[in-house]
Amino acid sequence: GFKVLASASHYWPLEDVDGIHEFRDMNGDIIEGMVNKGIYVTEKKGVTFLFFGSYQNSCISNPEVCGPEGVTFSFFWKTQDQQAKFLPASGGQVISSGFKICSNEGEGSVEFYVRGNAMMKWKASFSPPGPYWTHILFTWKSREGLKVYVNGTLNTTDPDGKVFYDYGDPSANLLTGTQGDQTKRYVNGAFDEFIIWERALTPNEIEQYFTAAIGVQVWLSSTLPWSVMTTTTKPVLSTNAYHPIITNLTEERGKFRSPDTMLVYLENVSFSLPNKSLSENVALSLTEAFLKAIEDFLLLPNWVDVPETAHIFGSLIQTIDSVMAHVARNLDENLLPLTVEGTSSVADYTLVKMHPQTLNLSHYRFPSQGQSFISIPSEAFHEKAWITIVGLLYHNMHYFFHNINPMDTKIAEAAAYKGYMISATSYLISIKVEPLPKLSHNLSGSPLITIQLTHKLTPRQYSQALNKSNRVHLYCAFLDYSNGTGVWSNEGCVRESGDLNYSVCLCNHLTNFAILMQVVPLKLTREHQVALSSITYIGCALSIFCLTITLVTFAILSSVSTIRNQRYHIHANLSFAVLVAQILLLTSFQFSPGTVPCKILAILLHFFFLSAFAWMLVEGFHLYSMVIKVFGSEESKHLYYYGIGWGCPLVICVISTTSSLDSYGESGNCWLSLENGAIWAFVAPALFVILVNIGILIAVTRVISRISADNYKVHGDANAFKLTAKAVAVLLPILGSSWIFGILSVNAHALVFQYIFAVFNSLQGFFMFLFHCLLNSEVRAAFKHKTKVWSLTSSSTRNINVKPFNSDIMTGNRPGTTPTKLNTWDKSTNSANRIDLSAV
């Protein structure tokens, strides 16, 4: 690491600086550094800058002269805390004509300029430092672009750059300061250890330098000169060194509002821990203070608005692991074996430092009680002088790992179901052992660790898991930090047993574990999909043809008194709604989800299918008013019927589209989304109509059955019983009862009901035409009457009285018999209030 530092081109250690004001001296100059000529403080227009000198025609101000080797710029940076008594500030920056590093409004960024024939700019953003020293390093090479490392780890990149027209700062000087505002005096950033390499360091060199630079220093006490720092690995007993950290963790509680800012603060705390031994009491105090800070993080009001929640909490867990491992590693060796354990609102925890020989059990288990635990065979600890164990069982952390894109994981089985999100469904449990235990590389060998985790399903997850139309995939997964950020993976783990309530996993490594659940809908085989699709196409096409004939027939016969009544108005509106819905349904098959036409079709389908159900409800009400309870005149009911048939669906659709427009035509087909509950804007009204109409159908059937029985007793008419069965068959299409099979066909296990529903629902228009037009005696009689009128008109015969006609079959009368009670249904001179069962 120090060899990397020695190869630097420019170096300003700034050893005695703890804030910009301390640069000042009587003469305004400070001479220090290894290869730099010097720096001094300059004030321009009320803004303080640190002037490092002019670097015209150098790699610092003109990256084009860097050559293929590139350039590296490194420094330590922190913002001042409240105790520094500095004036309010907007953010510190370092300026050169070749690059600019600044922080402003919660965001840090590096901008890199090349002013050649192609004017290019690379920009990468990162979280700005908190009140503790943070190491910022960036490299630039013409072929690799810009890479920014924070605390030795690659944080963000801009490999391509883009053409720019804002030339930035044209000065060749290298300055540090703040973004200027003449009305304010900005002094807020503290900088240290400015280093420039006129080449791009490798990731390995960056890690070596960072490790050597932080050494064993106490970051919270930044006034210590770097010359006194050593790289000794054996801690020196000084528990007082941890007291400032514990105090700071306590004092900073409640001061953070942004998850990003607080995460940077917690990371800085983990980096600032001194490599000094600590007693059991100090270890317990530090652990409790740190976990309380984690509790504050979990309770922040803004974190749910952060788009990359899983990524942030992956970094948080890595930070917790780092702090807890540091505490366990530095427990006082003179007191071995030593155990620090406890519980908090965040997690149950244990920190152990001991000789493996003291482990007299066949397995080490954490936690020692409960249904969720990790078990390590004692044979994995053999041949170790001493070991440290850190165990954490998080109480609520799994809630923050939801809606994980399977493509963002290293779980090949999950990635095969692209688009179906993954969620943590168990407690998150973590165990870390140093030195690493000796485990089998083969998952069929031994020793292996055993992980048992109880599932913690949300009501929605439980409902999805029990739905037989879904297949539930459970993965034994862990957070893999091999690439710098936490990515869920199942490599080296296998789910040995379990059910919907728990899982038992075997793994050959230690880290953070959880059970992830992915719910994938079962799909029909290709053969069944083709068959159901064919039935739908043929049935809908036949229904469209028949409904068109029905509407044309009603229009032609509208002048006939028996057809010009409320009953046939309802039939016509229902036929029109079903006709348009089925035309739109066939059209929607031609468009892809996510397109504008598909979204429009989904909204129209929602409206017309709801209208079809609404007119089915009107059919039921009208039937009820004729048979069970007569109320109101036709004129008074006419307005209500149209309000129910067209007005109610319009209101529901307006509310639905206004509140959840994104739920239309986005996934699978041009219909409502099944994921976020929007489908209930159709299902709830449809279920209501089906239930009401079933009740009406039962009530009407009972009346018809009673009358048929009376006819049989009085007249001995056995055919009267057939009236009941035929009446039910006639009423089913207009009351929407076929949709019951739609409810029963919710999964692939109810394949028979899917076929029944496809047949009856697609042929609804055909049955309406068959029973209420083609086989309807009133329609046939009206057509004969109309034909006779046309015939008489064409022969110029005007004065012939056309014999009135009626439907004797519907009243149950036969020539030579007396009228039955069914005659009482006719409340007017025409047949407006008769039951539409004339087809029988």
Side-chain angles (χ1 to χ4, degrees):
F2 292 106
K3 290 181 179 179
V4 176
L5 174 61
S7 68
S9 306
H10 305 272
Y11 176 41
W12 297 272
L14 311 182
E15 292 175 347
D16 299 322
V17 177
D18 187 27
I20 291 179
H21 275 199
E22 297 184 23
F23 277 103
R24 302 187 182 190
D25 62 11
M26 295 301 295
N27 301 321
D29 291 307
I30 300 177
I31 304 298
E32 61 176 12
M34 292 169 53
V35 295
N36 55 295
K37 296 181 180 179
I39 61 172
Y40 62 89
V41 176
T42 180
E43 290 192 9
K44 296 181 179 179
K45 299 180 180 179
V47 181
T48 301
F49 286 98
L50 307 181
F51 177 67
F52 288 80
S54 176
Y55 292 88
Q56 189 172 4
N57 298 324
S58 76
C59 191
I60 297 176
S61 292
N62 184 10
E64 281 200 322
V65 304
C66 295
E69 295 83 5
V71 66
T72 300
F73 191 90
S74 166
F75 63 96
F76 286 88
W77 185 14
K78 75 171 181 177
T79 55
Q80 299 298 338
D81 53 29
Q82 297 179 354
Q83 297 179 355
K85 299 180 180 179
F86 289 156
L87 297 175
S90 65
Q93 65 178 359
V94 182
I95 308 171
S96 147
S97 58
F99 58 85
K100 179 172 72 173
I101 304 106
C102 64
S103 69
N104 190 20
E105 297 181 354
E107 179 186 67
S109 65
V110 174
E111 295 181 9
F112 207 85
Y113 308 94
V114 170
R115 297 181 176 83
N117 295 328
M119 295 177 292
M120 297 289 294
K121 178 174 78 172
W122 291 260
K123 181 176 180 179
S125 299
F126 55 92
S127 298
Y132 303 107
W133 290 112
T134 299
H135 181 237
I136 307 293
L137 180 147
F138 70 84
T139 65
W140 178 86
K141 293 177 74 172
S142 57
R143 292 184 179 180
E144 297 179 0
L146 182 65
K147 297 181 181 180
V148 178
Y149 294 78
V150 178
N151 290 331
T153 302
L154 181 63
N155 183 276
T156 182
T157 64
D158 182 4
D160 302 320
K162 63 180 179 180
V163 177
F164 81 106
Y165 302 100
D166 179 8
Y167 282 84
D169 195 317
S171 172
N173 299 328
L174 175 61
L175 304 170
T176 67
T178 56
Q179 300 185 59
D181 184 337
Q182 297 183 19
T183 63
K184 299 178 180 179
R185 181 181 177 88
Y186 292 101
V187 187
N188 90 308
F191 302 92
D192 204 348
E193 291 286 303
F194 278 103
I195 310 174
I196 298 175
W197 289 265
E198 293 190 10
R199 63 184 180 89
L201 296 183
T202 66
N204 187 41
E205 288 179 314
I206 294 170
E207 183 179 4
Q208 289 176 353
Y209 166 70
F210 176 69
T211 303
I214 62 173
V216 295
Q217 66 157 331
V218 182
W219 283 40
L220 294 180
S221 179
S222 57
T223 56
L224 288 177
W226 287 70
S227 56
V228 303
M229 298 173 191
T230 66
T231 57
T232 177
T233 57
K234 184 168 181 67
V236 179
L237 183 60
S238 177
T239 56
N240 290 333
Y242 291 93
H243 290 164
I245 302 175
I246 298 172
T247 302
N248 185 269
L249 282 168
T250 304
E251 292 176 348
E252 293 296 321
R253 292 195 64 187
K255 294 184 179 180
F256 295 96
R257 295 293 179 266
S258 166
D260 287 332
T261 305
M262 188 169 185
L263 180 59
V264 171
Y265 165 75
L266 294 172
E267 289 174 343
N268 285 331
V269 169
S270 70
F271 293 134
S272 67
L273 296 173
N275 189 27
K276 294 188 177 182
S277 181
L278 66 169
S279 64
E280 180 180 355
N281 290 335
V282 174
L284 184 61
S285 299
L286 177 59
T287 301
E288 290 178 347
F290 185 74
L291 290 179
K292 285 180 180 179
I294 300 298
E295 178 186 352
D296 290 346
F297 182 90
L298 299 180
L299 295 175
L300 283 176
N302 308 359
W303 70 260
V304 275
D305 300 326
V306 179
E308 297 184 358
T309 304
H311 173 74
I312 289 178
F313 278 89
S315 299
L316 176 68
I317 290 173
Q318 187 179 28
T319 302
I320 297 173
D321 288 345
S322 175
V323 171
M324 301 296 279
H326 178 97
V327 174
R329 198 165 44 240
N330 287 277
L331 288 173
D332 188 0
E333 295 182 6
N334 297 321
L335 302 176
L336 295 185
L338 187 59
T339 300
V340 177
E341 59 184 0
T343 184
S344 72
S345 62
V346 176
D348 298 334
Y349 60 89
T350 184
L351 309 174
V352 179
K353 193 170 187 178
M354 66 179 181
H355 298 290
Q357 292 78 9
T358 61
L359 186 64
N360 297 322
L361 303 174
S362 61
H363 288 75
Y364 174 81
R365 170 178 158 151
F366 168 79
S368 57
Q369 295 180 345
Q371 298 299 315
S372 296
F373 61 86
I374 291 181
S375 176
I376 307 176
S378 58
E379 59 186 292
F381 301 121
H382 287 173
E383 301 177 359
K384 307 293 183 182
W386 55 269
I387 56 173
T388 62
I389 302 175
V390 177
L392 289 157
L393 179 65
Y394 295 98
H395 298 159
N396 300 306
M397 198 71 74
H398 59 286
Y399 290 124
F400 301 103
F401 291 95
H402 60 279
N403 290 333
I404 303 169
N405 191 330
M407 305 307 293
D408 295 334
T409 70
K410 294 181 180 180
I411 306 174
E413 301 93 320
Y417 301 103
K418 182 180 179 182
Y420 297 102
M421 297 301 176
I422 303 173
S423 296
T425 188
S426 74
Y427 287 137
L428 197 70
I429 191 167
S430 169
I431 194 160
K432 188 171 184 179
V433 178
E434 292 183 357
L436 292 174
K438 187 177 181 180
L439 298 171
S440 171
H441 295 290
N442 190 342
L443 287 173
S444 60
S446 64
L448 295 172
I449 68 167
T450 302
I451 305 158
Q452 178 173 308
L453 292 171
T454 302
H455 299 167
K456 299 296 178 181
L457 300 179
T458 64
R460 182 171 180 269
Q461 288 175 328
Y462 196 74
S463 174
Q464 288 177 330
L466 291 180
N467 189 340
K468 293 183 178 180
S469 64
N470 294 328
R471 176 176 294 163
V472 179
H473 297 270
L474 295 170
Y475 307 108
C476 294
F478 65 95
L479 283 169
D480 182 359
Y481 292 98
S482 59
N483 293 332
T485 58
V487 177
W488 287 104
S489 172
N490 65 344
E491 183 179 355
C493 286
V494 63
R495 185 169 182 264
E496 183 189 42
S497 61
D499 53 26
L500 196 57
N501 299 311
Y502 77 99
S503 292
V504 176
C505 307
L506 296 178
C507 295
N508 59 10
H509 54 80
L510 300 175
T511 180
N512 305 279
F513 299 95
I515 303 300
L516 303 185
M517 186 173 80
Q518 185 181 34
V519 180
V520 180
L522 290 173
K523 292 185 178 180
L524 294 174
T525 63
R526 178 65 179 170
E527 293 77 10
H528 288 304
Q529 289 180 356
V530 171
L532 290 170
S533 179
S534 300
I535 292 172
T536 301
Y537 272 107
I538 295 171
C540 286
L542 181 60
S543 289
I544 290 170
F545 175 74
C546 293
L547 287 171
T548 303
I549 296 177
T550 301
L551 289 172
V552 171
T553 301
F554 287 165
I556 293 174
L557 302 179
S558 60
S559 60
V560 181
S561 60
T562 53
I563 305 300
R564 193 177 61 250
N565 61 46
Q566 200 169 72
R567 183 161 30 116
Y568 288 98
H569 275 295
I570 297 172
H571 288 350
N573 279 278
L574 175 58
S575 298
F576 178 75
V578 174
L579 172 65
V580 176
Q582 294 197 341
I583 291 175
L584 291 172
L585 180 63
L586 292 182
T587 306
S588 69
F589 295 154
Q590 311 305 316
F591 293 93
S592 300
T595 61
V596 174
C598 185
K599 186 178 288 290
I600 295 174
L601 281 170
I603 295 172
L604 292 175
L605 274 170
H606 187 201
F607 172 72
F608 279 100
F609 269 121
L610 279 181
S611 296
F613 271 99
W615 281 106
M616 292 176 200
L617 183 63
V618 171
E619 291 274 12
F621 285 160
H622 188 67
L623 184 63
Y624 184 85
S625 71
M626 290 192 301
V627 179
I628 309 298
K629 184 177 181 181
V630 180
F631 54 88
S633 64
E634 286 199 7
E635 291 74 14
S636 64
K637 289 184 288 185
H638 197 74
L639 184 60
Y640 291 123
Y641 287 166
Y642 273 86
I644 295 173
W646 298 111
C648 290
L650 181 62
V651 171
I652 294 173
C653 282
V654 168
I655 295 174
S656 179
T657 53
T658 303
S659 59
S660 57
L661 182 61
D662 293 338
S663 299
Y664 286 88
E666 291 295 333
S667 59
N669 48 41
C670 300
W671 186 232
L672 285 162
S673 171
L674 302 177
E675 297 298 325
N676 54 10
I679 189 65
W680 285 100
F682 171 75
V683 173
L687 284 175
F688 173 76
V689 172
I690 291 172
L691 292 175
V692 171
N693 279 355
I694 288 175
I696 292 173
L697 180 62
I698 293 172
V700 170
T701 303
R702 291 179 61 187
V703 172
I704 296 175
S705 299
R706 187 174 66 250
I707 294 174
S708 299
D710 292 343
N711 275 347
Y712 178 73
K713 291 177 182 178
V714 175
H715 306 290
D717 185 6
N719 288 329
F721 288 107
K722 297 180 181 179
L723 181 64
T724 302
K726 292 182 179 180
V728 172
V730 171
L731 292 173
L732 282 175
I734 63 172
L735 296 183
S737 302
S738 63
W739 281 80
I740 297 174
F741 297 108
I743 300 174
L744 298 174
S745 63
V746 294
N747 59 64
H749 298 285
L751 191 59
V752 174
F753 292 114
Q754 292 194 32
Y755 277 98
I756 295 175
F757 176 65
V759 171
F760 280 100
N761 197 52
S762 62
L763 292 177
Q764 184 180 14
F766 168 74
F767 290 128
M768 290 171 62
F769 165 74
L770 182 67
F771 291 130
H772 302 284
C773 185
L774 186 63
L775 300 180
N776 188 296
S777 61
E778 288 187 350
V779 173
R780 293 202 307 268
F783 191 78
K784 291 178 181 179
H785 176 73
K786 192 73 173 179
T787 304
K788 193 171 185 179
V789 170
W790 290 338
S791 177
L792 293 175
T793 302
S794 63
S795 62
S796 302
T797 304
R798 308 292 186 191
N799 299 318
I800 297 178
N801 292 325
V802 180
K803 183 181 179 180
F805 62 94
N806 53 35
S807 179
D808 289 332
I809 299 177
M810 271 309 299
T811 62
N813 297 336
R814 296 181 179 272
T817 63
T818 58
T820 66
K821 290 175 64 177
L822 284 172
N823 284 24
T824 61
W825 295 354
D826 194 354
K827 298 295 179 179
S828 62
T829 57
N830 57 39
S831 58
N833 286 329
R834 293 177 185 168
I835 306 175
D836 187 10
L837 300 179
S838 54
V840 299

